[in-house]
Amino acid sequence: MKTIKIETPAIIIAMILLSLSACKDPLQEETFSTLGPTNFYNSAEDAEALLNSAYTQSQGWRDLARDYLTFGEFTTDIAIERQGAINANTQPIEDFNFQTSHPWLDFWWERYYSAIYRANTVLDKVPDIDMNPDRKEQILAEARFLRAFNYFYLYDLWGATPLITSSETSIEDRPTRASDEEFVAFVENELREVSEILPANQDQYGRATSGAALAFLTKFYLNNKKWQEAASVAQEIINSNEYSIYDPESGSRNDLFAPDNQYNDEFIYVIHYADGGAVQNGDGNTYLSHAAPPGYAWTYTPMINFAAQFKIRSEFLELFNDPNDERLDAFVFEYENLSGDIVQLGEDDVRSFKYPEDPNGTSSVTSSDMPLLRYADILLSRAEALNELNGPSQESIDLINVIREAAGVDPIELGDFTGTQELRDFILDERGREFHTEFLRRQDLIRHGKFIEMAQDRGKPAQDYHVLFPIPQAEIDRNPELEQNPGYN
Amino acid sequence: MKSDNQNGPSVSIALIVSIAVAGFIFEGLMQKVAAQNQSKVSGVVTDRQNKEPLPGVNIRLKGTEKGTTTNENGAYQLTVESLQDTLVFSFVGYETTTIPINGQLNIDVRLEPQTISGEDIVVIGYGTQRKSDLTGSVSSIKPEQITDIPTQSLQDALQGKMAGVQVTSQSGRPGSQPVVRIRGVGTLNNASPLYVVDGMLLDDISFLDTRDVASVEVLKDASATAIYGSRGANGVVVITTKKGSANQSQVTIRSYYGTQRVHNKIDMANAQEFVTLANEAAENRGATPVFDNPDQYGEGFDWQNWLLRDSPIQSHQVAASGGTEKMTYNVSANFLQQNGVVRKSDFQRTTLRVNNEYFVSDHVNFGHNINFAYEDYQLESQGGDGVTGLIMFTLQADPTLQPRNEDGEFTDVSVNGGRINPAAAVAYNHNDNYEFRTTGNVYVNIDFLENFNFRSSFGLNWSRNKTRVFQPEYFVTPIQNTQQSSLTVTNGGATNWLNENTLNFQTDIGDHSVDLLGGITFQEFISENLGGTRLNVPGSPANPLKDLLYLNSGETEGQTNFNGSTTWGMLSQLFRANYSYRDRYLLTATFRRDGSSRFARRNRWGNFPSVALGWVISNESFMENISGINYLKLRTSWGKIGNDKIDTDAATPTVTSNLNYVLGPNQDIHSGATITELANPNVKWEETEQFDVGLEIGLLDDRFNAEVDWYRRKTDDILVRVPIPNLVGVTTEPVVNAASVLNSGFEFSLNWQDSGTDFNYEIGLNATSVDNEVRSLGGGREEILGGGVRNLGSTTRTVVGQEIGAFYGWKQEGIFQNQDEIDNSPIRGNEEPGDIKIADINGDGEITDGDQTFLGSPIPDFYFGINLFAAYRNFDFSMDLDSQIGNQILYASTAERGFGLFNFERFYLDRWTGEGTSDSEPRVTESGHNFEVLDRFLYDGDFVRLRNLQFGYTISTDLLSRLSISRFRVYVGATNPLTFTRYPGYTPQIGGGSVIANGIDNGTYPVASSYTIGVELDF
């Protein structure tokens, strides 16, 4: 047989093939295009990127106004939502018959905590990055601000929730809720401490400032009825002289919310949306596409008009007892539709165009920034706190009148108010006129003890426990250590 | 006419070749004798199954020694003394056939191949085996059963052909690849099988032309698939392409041309009906009517007719094969063009295949199987199938409007509340795709020391693709517009090389037969893409200038570029032992050890063993006296196999970028990035344990064959995302190997064939039952929600004890006829008369989430196919039926509304309009209570489909033989001409999506019926 001859080359070929294949370790995974922990957390740019990711998770959400209105105003005397697919989510909230599985509660619970996780990641990783120490200190303070800011909103919706202060975690972690004292102390201390590190002004508009930290601290004290503390922190802000009330010589006070006025000194902290439908930061603000009535003829490039309709309740409009109130300019009582007809908006159908049409608006978004805290709120907060502490005083009246004058309505006088309750009620009404469409009504009504009572008056099956929302049932399923808010079991 | 090695058809067994050569000599002698006689009978002898002419067939005058043989074209001529004589046709490997001349001068004969059960050679992993020696469950299909079906994908041609193999066209879009499931769904991740083409391991075989295929084997049980280790758990489809054979030169031409059409259009409302329904819907939500004069509209515009068109499909092949003792060749060129039934979705593919083998010596040969494919296709919309796809836009379109207004501009469909003008969507969409792909291998085989064979191969799958998407600047409606034109060009490339080295030892010692195989393989996958986007590219919207569709023509401002790459590799060792004793007792043991770089170091290696036993009962001596049973075999197997088609990033944390925020007075975008996922370094492949028992039987001289299998596939360690509290703050849940799924069922494959003098037929039936059950989800997870549909939310729920991705929602009990009934019934919210009454399943007097229940499963309980073939003289006929039973389809495209004013399916006309008008169709609404996950959106997916129908005629005249044409067949065929189903959508075959979002019809591209004529020519 010839087999012997063949054998040698066969083995040689086999060996060549084997050695060719083996010359490189085929099991070494190489990932070229995605960053992994070994090539991240190294530079100043990485530190900034980590911080930006926390900002965007805190407030970069196109439907933020929609969701915040749902929780903050559809539960109150101000607004309702009708039609559109989202009605399945908004109507149960308005009707106080929502399930513990409500998807938006789940969404915000997750969103606040993922923003906190990202802030914690900054706080855990940035200290080890070699960079300019001044900027590093600022970054850490901004991250602590964002963390406290998210806890502020968690507390508003759910009360004291678990306090997570580290990004290190394991699959088995099942944290419990913090006590109310612990939670409140944490938020108060953090906001106070970072207010001493953060600058009064940031080069980059949109970043946390010391004023923003103090403003949230004011509101946190106020909502927790710590009147003395609220009044004094509000005074710190006033004394800083960083802020002023928008009172234009001509035009309307409502122009404050126009895209041109985005950097006005009255804004303390805003959700910053980019011009021209930039494709970042949640694409922009979808508020107007929800508020526009059917067939609305847009002033600029036609925008998407959602089936969903945000509407103002007629009863609320009765608060505007002075026809000269410039803040009435926020409302659309009648409009021209695409066919050129003038349509009157009737009962419970008036629209709030507080954030006016934007020449750069496209598709369903405008670039109007959403104020989360305005200087007007600080003034009215101090007025309210002082009234709670000592009853009506000239200082409170003066603070309120700054706002009223800016709105073009007659000032009030101390003599108009016989006691704390009268001024308290007036302040609540003034806040309604001033802050509608800014998601503050629910907080205000709860603080004034009127949230449940007014809902019941509207025929809603509201109960005392409804001042807090239920912790999402899915979250309790995942973490049985979490105790549900009372009333929801 | 006589020449030694030209124009001969291919017959693969060398023995037959030599008999044929002997035959030619014999024939030469006979012709001299025949010259003295009067009557000449002539004809052509062909193989009944593959219709190929048979050379060397013996033809004898009955009762005499006188006779002849057929020539290389299968033709014969015999001089007979009387036309009342009888001819006897005999040939090795075929049934002997006796035909009385009966005065005919031309007698064409089809010989029935003699099937001795178990003698067929079956391709298995890393080798071949006689069917009788198999201990595993393997389905085979012959090429003639698939090549006549007009389709661009081989998998499509397998529909309804094999037990245990379910093929679902997930879309009728030309170029789309169907979903293949072998023995159910064994994972919550990718459940697609592995494809092995001529030894090359692949996930995608879109380059393959079905006419190049010589055989398809589907490996189903663990004994068959374990040799593929971590990639075998979803089953393995082994494809062998055609080779040439020595001294059998042949040129073949195969062509068909046909037209495709969508018969079962969706019954949509016309303009008049639409206006009525739209006004009613407005009224029902307390708004003013949308249309003023509802009576003026009439039929309106039929958008569906506008979108769907009859479109051609054609395919042509020219192939040459043949060879000498030193080399064989098979070269083929294929062209396939399929225009989509939806506008702007055309596909074409050109392939060239060269399969050559070179025989260096008696002991050494090498060869190559190489395929070059070029395809280009368009996509009709950016959105593909689904809510953002063109089909949905068309179904939703307002029939009171035309595509263009009087000025020739695209109509602003938002005037009545519409969203998208489909005509503009088509006109402004430019999405072109090109791919060049080379797939194949070179190999060497060395026989040495008598019993040894060494084989080494180097395979390559190399592809380069390019996608060019141009969006012009346009404005149609507020939602359908662009601010500026943009062009995105992506160049991608992927290389996958595989080196396999195996050593085989084979020996027979007395009654013992041993076959051992060992090997080492290496494989690496490298892919990279590079692309960019530019804004403000010049060119008119409808007809962009092709010359300008390059990134350089756009503005540099606002440009984006991207470039990414991944690489991973595998190293494997494999071993197989086959042992048989007296062809009665069979044992197979296989083992594969795979190492994969996709997993973290400690989980990198996996072991995949299997054992199988077979008992060929019919070879036992006690069976000798039992007549009727020719073949009987019992076999069983067990093994463990893996699925590595899982998320490769799971084991290593990666940074999510683009989490940007707007900062600063110029509103600049500041880039953000962080880690949003907990990586799990313990991730490893999923493991399936499979047990199989099978029985094979051949009866009545093998006219009846049957194969029955029972299987049980249990997959453990299925990678699932486990719930962690959201307060941890990572937005993506971590993955762990935790879930478990069981699939079990029976497979039947029955075949009956018989033949008469000039008539023969064959009936095949295959059937499969699948019982799918989730056994655990692990990690504290109680359910996996999936199948999100706008308006409805999640529609499927995967829980322990149910099938994967089962539909979950409420049951409709009726319609609230009046306020009284609402006041006295449990309700969900603010129902009004005419709204759906939901069943209070838990009986607590309220309608809550607790009243939801399982509404059905997208996985069929049972599927079967019937294949019929019959031939009478020159006529042949074939028919295939395909059926699926017991699955549900979610008709999502009708449930998704309320996002604008959409057209209605005509069944909305049966709506409730007042007390007693309907107890099934609610009043017209577009959102709210009537748009929950309700059983009214679910339909039985049962269907029986006439998959294929074909009539052929083989022309045989002297003229053809003079033109050297050995065979000339013409046929007409119909594919999918008839479907019996209760489902109202385009097609009841809804695949696609992940396994937890299956069976959801969300604007699926319609699967068309096609009608073809074809010719087959052999020279």
Side-chain angles (χ1 to χ4, degrees):
Chain A
M1 295 294 284
K2 286 188 274 181
T3 49
I4 304 301
K5 279 191 215 163
I6 298 308
E7 196 176 1
T8 327
I11 288 162
I12 291 168
I13 291 169
M15 285 173 69
I16 291 169
L17 286 168
L18 286 174
S19 57
L20 272 176
S21 318
C23 63
K24 185 177 167 192
D25 178 3
L27 298 190
Q28 183 59 51
E29 170 142 42
E30 293 168 76
T31 307
F32 302 109
S33 48
T34 41
L35 288 167
T38 52
N39 49 11
F40 199 52
Y41 308 136
N42 295 330
S43 65
E45 287 73 32
D46 293 349
E48 298 287 357
L50 281 169
L51 178 64
N52 290 341
S53 80
Y55 270 107
T56 200
Q57 193 69 359
S58 297
Q59 55 230 42
W61 168 238
R62 70 202 306 270
D63 284 327
L64 186 139
R66 178 196 75 182
D67 298 358
Y68 277 23
L69 280 175
T70 304
F71 301 137
E73 294 195 9
F74 301 158
T75 50
T76 72
D77 56 332
I78 295 185
I80 54 174
E81 191 280 320
R82 290 292 178 270
Q83 296 158 39
I86 62 163
N87 190 250
N89 292 325
T90 58
Q91 193 74 47
I93 299 273
E94 179 191 329
D95 292 344
F96 286 81
N97 67 357
F98 45 87
Q99 305 277 317
T100 55
S101 60
H102 195 286
W104 293 358
L105 290 174
D106 211 21
F107 176 89
W108 281 99
W109 176 277
E110 178 181 346
R111 193 158 181 113
Y112 291 132
Y113 270 109
S114 59
I116 289 166
Y117 166 81
R118 293 184 188 181
N120 282 329
T121 305
V122 175
L123 295 171
D124 291 342
K125 301 296 181 187
V126 172
D128 295 336
I129 294 177
D130 186 19
M131 63 181 291
N132 177 326
D134 293 340
R135 181 60 196 142
K136 184 191 280 191
E137 191 189 15
Q138 295 293 322
I139 286 176
L140 296 174
E142 285 182 47
R144 284 171 71 188
F145 168 81
L146 288 173
R147 184 171 65 181
F149 165 89
N150 282 284
Y151 278 125
F152 176 95
Y153 283 101
L154 279 164
Y155 190 74
D156 179 42
L157 294 177
W158 287 287
T161 60
L163 276 176
I164 311 291
T165 54
S166 160
S167 65
E168 295 297 317
T169 183
S170 86
I171 289 177
E172 282 80 28
D173 275 356
R174 297 292 181 270
T176 55
R177 298 180 76 154
S179 72
D180 199 67
E181 300 72 41
E182 196 187 345
F183 191 99
V184 168
F186 177 82
V187 175
E188 288 172 0
N189 291 338
E190 288 288 297
L191 288 172
R192 168 54 70 189
E193 283 182 40
V194 299
S195 76
E196 286 154 15
I197 307 169
L198 290 168
N201 266 302
Q202 287 271 18
D203 292 345
Q204 290 179 334
Y205 182 81
R207 288 192 185 278
T209 57
S210 100
L214 291 175
F216 277 97
L217 185 58
T218 305
K219 292 306 301 283
F220 197 63
Y221 282 136
L222 188 77
N223 289 338
N224 293 334
K225 302 186 184 176
K226 294 185 175 176
W227 311 115
Q228 186 62 58
E229 292 88 340
S232 101
V233 181
Q235 191 58 45
E236 276 185 65
I237 299 168
I238 296 167
N239 293 345
S240 76
N241 286 321
E242 288 290 334
Y243 305 103
S244 63
I245 294 294
Y246 178 73
D247 188 5
E249 295 292 314
S250 61
S252 166
R253 166 136 173 90
N254 198 63
D255 295 344
L256 172 61
F257 302 94
D260 292 348
N261 273 324
Q262 289 190 130
Y263 308 108
N264 193 277
D265 282 341
E266 189 174 332
F267 293 130
I268 299 178
Y269 196 69
V270 300
I271 304 163
H272 199 193
Y273 289 112
D275 278 345
V279 290
Q280 301 291 343
N281 195 20
D283 299 338
N285 184 344
T286 63
Y287 174 78
L288 264 191
S289 283
H290 289 94
Y296 180 78
W298 300 91
T299 311
Y300 308 107
T301 311
M303 306 237 314
I304 295 172
N305 192 341
F306 292 145
Q309 303 285 310
F310 293 168
K311 305 173 174 197
I312 299 295
R313 295 181 67 252
S314 298
E315 183 198 2
F316 171 71
L317 292 171
E318 289 168 14
L319 286 183
F320 291 83
N321 41 16
D322 184 336
N324 296 323
D325 196 330
E326 291 171 19
R327 293 170 298 195
L328 280 167
D329 296 342
F331 301 106
V332 174
F333 295 95
E334 61 172 40
Y335 69 102
E336 185 181 340
N337 70 11
L338 292 168
S339 323
D341 304 328
I342 301 295
V343 182
Q344 300 289 332
L345 290 163
E347 179 77 9
D348 291 348
D349 205 14
V350 168
R351 309 309 167 105
S352 163
F353 269 36
K354 190 169 204 170
Y355 311 99
E357 289 187 68
D358 175 4
N360 292 318
T362 56
S363 180
S364 59
V365 296
T366 65
S367 71
S368 299
D369 290 352
M370 283 271 170
L372 289 174
L373 258 175
R374 286 198 280 132
Y375 190 49
D377 196 355
I378 297 304
L379 299 189
L380 289 179
S381 293
R382 178 162 167 88
E384 181 176 335
L386 292 177
N387 181 49
E388 296 295 336
L389 289 167
N390 309 313
S393 66
Q394 190 57 44
E395 188 184 355
S396 290
I397 300 298
D398 291 346
L399 287 166
I400 297 165
N401 279 338
V402 174
I403 312 295
R404 288 184 64 82
E405 276 161 29
V409 289
D410 294 339
I412 50 169
E413 288 174 18
L414 185 57
D416 299 344
F417 303 95
T418 54
T420 307
Q421 185 62 43
E422 284 71 24
L423 184 55
R424 179 189 289 147
D425 289 347
F426 185 85
I427 290 173
L428 183 62
D429 288 353
E430 195 64 47
R431 289 188 65 90
R433 290 185 283 266
E434 182 64 23
F435 298 121
H436 73 87
T437 327
E438 293 180 61
F439 344 117
L440 297 173
R441 190 65 168 173
R442 176 177 157 274
Q443 286 176 12
D444 291 347
L445 293 180
I446 290 173
R447 190 173 67 245
H448 284 252
K450 291 188 162 178
F451 180 66
I452 300 304
E453 175 198 317
M454 285 171 70
Q456 287 167 348
D457 290 347
R458 292 193 306 275
K460 310 296 181 191
Q463 302 291 322
D464 288 346
Y465 65 81
H466 281 125
V467 294
L468 291 178
F469 283 102
I471 290 185
Q473 188 55 45
E475 183 71 352
I476 293 179
D477 293 346
R478 289 181 290 250
N479 180 4
E481 298 293 317
L482 277 183
E483 202 184 321
Q484 182 56 285
N485 280 331
Y488 289 107
N489 286 313
Chain B
M1 288 300 293
K2 228 170 25 139
S3 58
D4 283 333
N5 46 18
Q6 269 182 17
N7 304 336
S10 64
V11 177
S12 58
I13 303 164
L15 181 66
I16 295 173
V17 175
S18 44
I19 290 171
V21 173
F24 298 146
I25 301 162
F26 185 56
E27 181 195 20
L29 293 170
M30 289 314 295
Q31 275 185 345
K32 286 178 190 159
V33 180
Q36 301 163 0
N37 295 292
Q38 302 294 311
S39 311
K40 284 180 184 166
V41 176
S42 63
V44 176
V45 184
T46 52
D47 179 305
R48 205 269 306 158
Q49 281 183 352
N50 64 15
K51 299 150 197 146
E52 301 280 358
L54 294 172
V57 175
N58 243 301
I59 300 142
R60 198 162 42 81
L61 264 179
K62 197 173 180 181
T64 71
E65 292 302 313
K66 203 169 170 187
T68 182
T69 55
T70 53
N71 68 8
E72 62 271 38
N73 297 324
Y76 72 93
Q77 198 175 57
L78 182 64
T79 313
V80 294
E81 312 214 333
S82 159
L83 288 177
Q84 297 312 313
D85 285 348
T86 297
L87 298 180
V88 179
F89 295 79
S90 62
F91 191 42
V92 174
Y94 288 82
E95 303 280 355
T96 299
T97 305
T98 305
I99 296 176
I101 297 172
N102 273 341
Q104 304 172 87
L105 288 175
N106 189 304
I107 301 177
D108 290 344
V109 179
R110 289 160 185 274
L111 289 187
E112 178 76 17
Q114 224 169 31
T115 47
I116 302 162
S117 289
E119 290 308 307
D120 296 341
I121 298 295
V122 173
V123 183
I124 55 169
Y126 302 95
T128 57
Q129 242 183 335
R130 284 191 305 169
K131 185 134 174 53
S132 59
D133 290 342
L134 270 184
T135 53
S137 174
V138 177
S139 291
S140 308
I141 198 158
K142 282 170 258 168
E144 57 271 17
Q145 288 173 273
I146 49 176
T147 50
D148 289 342
I149 293 176
T151 170
Q152 40 82 22
S153 88
L154 173 69
Q155 299 99 306
D156 246 348
L158 301 178
Q159 284 189 28
K161 301 279 190 187
M162 290 191 260
V165 182
Q166 185 200 7
V167 181
T168 305
S169 315
Q170 59 177 330
S171 160
R173 181 178 298 105
S176 73
Q177 295 292 303
V179 175
V180 177
R181 298 281 179 258
I182 295 167
R183 292 187 165 177
V185 180
T187 171
L188 297 163
N189 300 298
N190 189 334
S192 297
L194 172 72
Y195 295 93
V196 180
V197 181
D198 296 321
M200 186 66 199
L201 277 59
L202 301 162
D203 288 329
D204 165 29
I205 53 165
S206 59
F207 64 90
L208 203 62
D209 196 289
T210 49
R211 288 169 159 166
D212 282 336
V213 173
S215 74
V216 179
E217 264 85 16
V218 178
L219 315 184
K220 298 182 291 192
D221 74 341
S223 170
T225 60
I227 199 79
Y228 290 107
S230 66
R231 280 173 285 182
N234 296 331
V236 182
V237 179
V238 180
I239 296 151
T240 310
T241 58
K242 286 175 179 163
K243 284 191 165 57
S245 30
N247 304 323
Q248 302 289 327
S249 310
Q250 186 176 17
V251 174
T252 60
I253 294 174
R254 303 270 185 276
S255 273
Y256 65 74
Y257 183 88
T259 182
Q260 312 162 84
R261 163 174 282 197
V262 177
H263 288 300
N264 47 332
K265 298 210 171 103
I266 293 174
D267 201 12
M268 301 302 292
N270 67 23
Q272 177 73 50
E273 294 158 344
F274 164 73
V275 165
T276 310
L277 292 167
N279 279 350
E280 227 174 276
E283 197 181 313
N284 285 340
R285 63 164 188 264
T288 47
V290 189
F291 298 94
D292 284 340
N293 287 314
D295 298 330
Q296 66 181 345
Y297 289 96
E299 277 296 310
F301 187 75
D302 188 337
W303 286 96
Q304 212 176 172
N305 273 350
W306 167 85
L307 181 73
L308 301 176
R309 55 185 187 177
D310 289 354
S311 42
I313 180 169
Q314 58 178 313
S315 164
H316 310 286
Q317 180 190 55
V318 180
S321 71
T324 65
E325 308 282 308
K326 286 290 172 199
M327 78 160 287
T328 63
Y329 62 90
N330 181 69
V331 182
S332 72
N334 298 285
F335 173 74
L336 182 136
Q337 183 182 40
Q338 184 179 9
N339 289 355
V341 288
V342 170
R343 284 158 183 269
K344 255 194 188 169
S345 59
D346 299 344
F347 172 88
Q348 73 186 43
R349 180 179 64 206
T350 308
T351 63
L352 182 67
R353 173 171 285 281
V354 187
N355 288 2
N356 290 3
E357 195 156 25
Y358 310 91
F359 300 88
V360 177
S361 73
D362 287 352
H363 301 278
V364 179
N365 71 317
F366 68 96
H368 51 78
N369 307 297
I370 299 173
N371 190 82
F372 304 95
Y374 177 75
E375 60 183 48
D376 65 88
Y377 59 94
Q378 305 161 294
L379 294 180
E380 76 283 0
S381 72
Q382 313 288 10
D385 288 2
V387 283
T388 54
L390 186 59
I391 311 286
M392 279 291 270
F393 294 154
T394 303
L395 295 176
Q396 292 165 350
D398 181 340
T400 67
L401 299 173
Q402 301 278 330
R404 289 175 189 268
N405 59 25
E406 296 85 356
D407 305 332
E409 305 278 315
F410 285 113
T411 308
D412 177 356
V413 297
S414 68
V415 291
N416 301 331
R419 283 160 63 86
I420 300 285
N421 181 336
V426 171
Y428 293 142
N429 178 54
H430 304 280
N431 186 327
D432 298 310
N433 302 270
Y434 314 89
E435 183 175 61
F436 180 70
R437 185 166 167 186
T438 302
T439 313
N441 59 0
V442 292
Y443 57 87
V444 59
N445 269 308
I446 301 161
D447 294 326
F448 60 101
L449 291 177
E450 296 195 52
N451 304 104
F452 288 90
N453 170 269
F454 172 78
R455 180 184 167 92
S456 183
S457 69
F458 184 85
L460 188 70
N461 178 34
W462 181 93
S463 67
R464 287 291 173 271
N465 59 62
K466 178 180 290 183
T467 303
R468 179 171 276 129
V469 179
F470 174 64
Q471 277 201 317
E473 184 182 341
Y474 63 87
F475 187 94
V476 185
T477 72
I479 207 169
Q480 188 180 15
N481 62 72
T482 51
Q483 299 298 304
Q484 56 218 332
S485 62
S486 72
L487 173 72
T488 301
V489 179
T490 310
N491 278 300
T495 305
N496 155 13
W497 63 259
L498 168 69
N499 169 234
E500 296 190 313
N501 308 287
T502 55
L503 188 63
N504 186 233
F505 171 79
Q506 205 169 355
T507 190
D508 295 319
I509 305 161
D511 291 333
H512 308 274
S513 173
V514 175
D515 188 343
L516 302 175
L517 175 85
I520 300 178
T521 79
F522 307 88
Q523 192 165 17
E524 193 176 25
F525 300 81
I526 305 150
S527 68
E528 178 165 355
N529 64 50
L530 168 69
T533 298
R534 296 290 183 279
L535 304 175
N536 295 321
V537 178
S540 82
N543 285 307
L545 298 165
K546 289 270 178 200
D547 293 353
L548 292 176
L549 292 188
Y550 294 89
L551 295 182
N552 281 351
S553 358
E555 287 178 357
T556 49
E557 195 187 327
Q559 63 168 304
T560 54
N561 301 298
F562 52 90
N563 183 208
S565 171
T566 55
T567 297
W568 65 280
M570 273 192 99
L571 175 61
S572 312
Q573 292 139 21
L574 54 96
F575 176 77
R576 177 169 58 213
N578 288 314
Y579 167 78
S580 81
Y581 176 69
R582 301 182 69 184
D583 284 342
R584 289 178 196 172
Y585 310 108
L586 313 169
L587 167 74
T588 307
T590 64
F591 178 76
R592 181 163 177 143
R593 183 169 161 76
D594 273 339
S596 168
S597 71
R598 297 166 105 172
F599 304 100
R601 203 157 283 278
R602 69 183 113 154
N603 287 323
R604 206 153 259 183
W605 289 91
N607 300 321
F608 303 96
S610 87
V611 281
L613 298 170
W615 180 24
V616 187
I617 304 169
S618 51
N619 284 351
E620 294 284 357
S621 48
F622 61 78
M623 289 292 290
E624 273 169 19
N625 299 325
I626 299 175
S627 62
I629 299 179
N630 331 66
Y631 182 68
L632 184 62
K633 181 168 85 180
L634 192 62
R635 53 177 166 72
T636 182
S637 70
W638 171 90
K640 202 185 259 189
I641 9 171
N643 177 24
D644 76 339
K645 286 185 194 149
I646 53 179
D647 183 4
T648 49
D649 291 337
T652 39
T654 52
V655 172
T656 307
S657 53
N658 228 16
L659 306 170
N660 308 339
Y661 194 61
V662 180
L663 290 165
N666 298 327
Q667 314 209 358
D668 298 326
I669 302 295
H670 288 250
S671 62
T674 194
I675 285 181
T676 57
E677 186 166 15
L678 295 181
N680 178 1
N682 296 323
V683 160
K684 55 179 184 167
W685 28 55
E686 303 172 357
E687 284 190 353
T688 296
E689 216 175 293
Q690 185 165 187
F691 180 72
D692 182 287
V693 188
L695 182 74
E696 296 167 24
I697 189 163
L699 302 176
L700 305 170
D701 295 327
D702 272 326
R703 276 178 293 179
F704 178 75
N705 280 288
E707 197 166 334
V708 182
D709 276 86
W710 178 77
Y711 65 90
R712 186 180 190 278
R713 275 175 82 193
K714 183 160 181 285
T715 311
D716 290 315
D717 295 335
I718 295 176
L719 213 57
V720 283
R721 295 201 173 270
V722 294
I724 53 168
N726 278 342
L727 57 78
V728 172
V730 289
T731 40
T732 317
E733 294 175 332
V735 287
V736 294
N737 293 91
S740 159
V741 168
L742 177 70
N743 287 278
S744 61
F746 286 95
E747 282 172 11
F748 300 87
S749 171
L750 311 176
N751 196 63
W752 171 264
Q753 55 182 7
D754 201 1
S755 57
T757 8
D758 44 13
F759 178 72
N760 62 70
Y761 66 97
E762 184 171 346
I763 304 169
L765 166 73
N766 69 76
T768 309
S769 74
V770 179
D771 188 0
N772 179 279
E773 188 190 335
V774 177
R775 296 299 285 264
S776 94
L777 290 173
R781 180 167 289 292
E782 283 171 3
E783 59 180 20
I784 298 172
L785 301 179
V789 171
R790 284 210 302 189
N791 250 8
L792 308 186
S794 297
T795 58
T796 76
R797 207 167 104 127
T798 300
V799 299
V800 171
Q802 292 284 338
E803 298 189 32
I804 292 179
F807 295 113
Y808 187 75
W810 285 280
K811 284 194 162 167
Q812 176 179 349
E813 206 172 50
I815 300 292
F816 283 118
Q817 299 296 334
N818 50 48
Q819 190 61 41
D820 237 26
E821 194 181 348
I822 296 171
D823 295 342
N824 295 307
S825 308
I827 52 170
R828 192 135 155 74
N830 305 327
E831 277 95 329
E832 289 184 35
D835 282 337
I836 283 171
K837 182 178 183 181
I838 292 174
D840 181 14
I841 295 210
N842 62 11
D844 63 356
E846 288 180 80
I847 302 299
T848 60
D849 291 351
D851 293 307
Q852 296 185 83
T853 184
F854 287 95
L855 302 174
S857 153
I859 302 173
D861 300 324
F862 188 69
Y863 49 90
F864 68 90
I866 297 173
N867 310 300
L868 251 165
F869 172 83
Y872 174 73
R873 296 192 180 223
N874 288 356
F875 295 93
D876 61 80
F877 164 72
S878 67
M879 185 174 96
D880 299 316
L881 287 176
D882 181 18
S883 177
Q884 192 165 296
I885 287 162
N887 62 309
Q888 297 282 309
I889 298 172
L890 181 74
Y891 194 15
S893 52
T894 190
E896 300 202 345
R897 43 175 63 252
F899 302 92
L901 181 56
F902 297 163
N903 196 8
F904 301 85
E905 282 79 3
R906 192 172 263 121
F907 65 71
Y908 274 86
L909 292 169
D910 303 330
R911 73 221 178 270
W912 185 93
T913 49
E915 206 165 329
T917 45
S918 171
D919 203 30
S920 55
E921 269 307 309
R923 68 195 179 115
V924 189
T925 51
E926 297 185 282
S927 59
H929 302 296
N930 301 327
F931 290 86
E932 307 269 13
V933 189
L934 284 161
D935 55 352
R936 78 187 193 104
F937 295 119
L938 285 167
Y939 289 82
D940 287 345
D942 303 352
F943 71 87
V944 176
R945 187 168 58 174
L946 184 52
R947 170 75 182 137
N948 180 43
L949 192 65
Q950 197 173 104
F951 293 94
Y953 180 74
T954 305
I955 301 163
S956 56
T957 67
D958 285 349
L959 179 68
L960 292 179
S961 355
R962 261 182 264 138
L963 291 169
S964 301
I965 294 171
S966 57
R967 179 163 168 275
F968 183 20
R969 175 172 176 263
V970 292
Y971 63 90
V972 292
T975 304
N976 302 335
L978 277 175
T979 305
F980 303 95
T981 178
R982 282 190 292 262
Y983 182 63
Y986 286 120
T987 169
Q989 279 205 319
I990 306 295
S994 67
V995 298
I996 57 164
N998 196 3
I1000 298 173
D1001 185 359
N1002 215 337
T1004 304
Y1005 191 112
V1007 174
S1009 308
S1010 53
Y1011 304 91
T1012 46
I1013 55 171
V1015 292
E1016 300 176 350
L1017 269 169
D1018 292 352
F1019 298 94

